[in-house]
Amino acid sequence: MKKHVSAITFVLAAIFSLVSTAVQAQQPEIQYFRSWDKGGINVFEPSKSADQPEFTGVKVRIGGAFTQTYQSLTHSNEASYVPVSATNSTNRNLLYGTPMTNSTMVNARPIAGQDTSSITLSGFNLAMANLNLDFQIDDGIRVSLENYMSSRHHNEFWVKGGYIQIDKLPMFGSPDWYTKYVRVKIGHFTPNFGDAHYRRNDGGNAMFNPFGENLIMDAFTTEIGGEVYVFPAEGLMVMGGMSSGLINGNVENYPTVATGANLEPIKRNPSIFAKAAYDNTFEGFRFRLSASLYHNSSIQRNTLYAGDRTGSQYFSIMDAIVTSTGAPTDKTAVFTSGRINPNITNRLTAFVVSPFVKYKGFELFGAFETISGGNYSEAGDRTFTQIAADGVYRFLKDEQAFVGARYATVSGRLPGAAFTDDITVTRTSISAGWFPTRNLLLKGEYVMQDYADFPTTDFRYNGNFNGFVIQAVIGL
């Protein structure tokens, strides 16, 4: 507890310091840059053709983000009784928050008179905060260093990643062909797969997401690699990239033969990914369509759908009271509450198409996403599909307020002998928000989520959660 209090105190002090600095002095302008405040909403790849600030020397921009969430969510299930083991009678299918006779979860039972099928989790979540450092080191060349100061999954200071983005070549006289048409990005960063990662919560940064949480299947990770962009015509962009395929650095040697339950040797093949997008505005009507592909034929552990180091904003919702080993669930270690991880980690091919349209205050965003592949212990491939759509209406001066609605559904086959059929998870949510200033956002969401076709022995059998979250967000 002392560690959490210290972390929150540090976060608050840092945020107030940043706010004070921003008020007293204007932030330096960075070229080819997506701002961290309200101005970054509906910005995808930074524009290559827009006018850029003049380079007058090295600049350092100190920014950050802070989100405090209050939740009141109720989850329920109808799973059958399954003991942790022959010597531990604790029901592993009880949901997080069930009052138990002991906290060790060894032969623990619900306290008499408690409702074990429907539990409400309400209160303030751990405040999340980010620290963003952006450097303009030369004309058309910038460096970004992104950090998590406090988050659910890692409540200690954690470096998310950093990269260099090159939009001009001043060392070669800034040739016009490169300045107009080419961009190179190198470092440890989020692969540009799909468009949903431009609209998601990322720790303390919840400014760009009009809802309280991300999609059910959340494609987000960080990997070491590079991307090359070409902008051949107005509104058109194509990108090709390659990465290590791993969330961390790795210099390990693995056996050249299959070991244990694996059916093939462990490898460290690179990930290959590509994206094409068209984004243009015609008489006030903006239209964007992107398509992305990500592939890795064999990798020790890929985290494209399990790479969030901050965690879900729905704290502990639809989590079991114990882990697979029978230990009490740690809300910081079990961080994907309300999401579905397809657990396709050793070979995968993912594809997503994302349309976006905006006319005056109305905007629509969608995603059709599919992933296929498997793990080393599986002979065949499994497939997951996600379909999501949200509509937002922004109103008042400078689109200072908004209301929105989202529907998302995920279906596919999870690993394990118990999963003989595809499972389905659906979510419906409505939201509203208000920007008192460019740097401040207050938003609320009501959400309903249902779990279908899970085995009776799984804690998500006939699962459901519903309720609301309220978030106060700062972005600098």
Side-chain angles (χ1 to χ4, degrees), residues 344-360:
I344 296 175
T345 61
N346 298 136
R347 61 181 182 274
L348 71 156
T349 300
F351 177 76
V352 59
V353 176
S354 299
F356 172 76
V357 295
K358 181 175 176 64
Y359 180 70
K360 296 184 177 179

Side-chain angles (χ1 to χ4, degrees), residues 67-69 201 206 211-212 313 441-444 469-473:
T67 297
Q68 176 66 71
T69 300
N201 293 346
F211 299 91
Q313 293 280 3
L441 168 63
L442 178 66
K443 60 179 173 176
V469 296
I470 297 174
Q471 295 175 334
V473 183

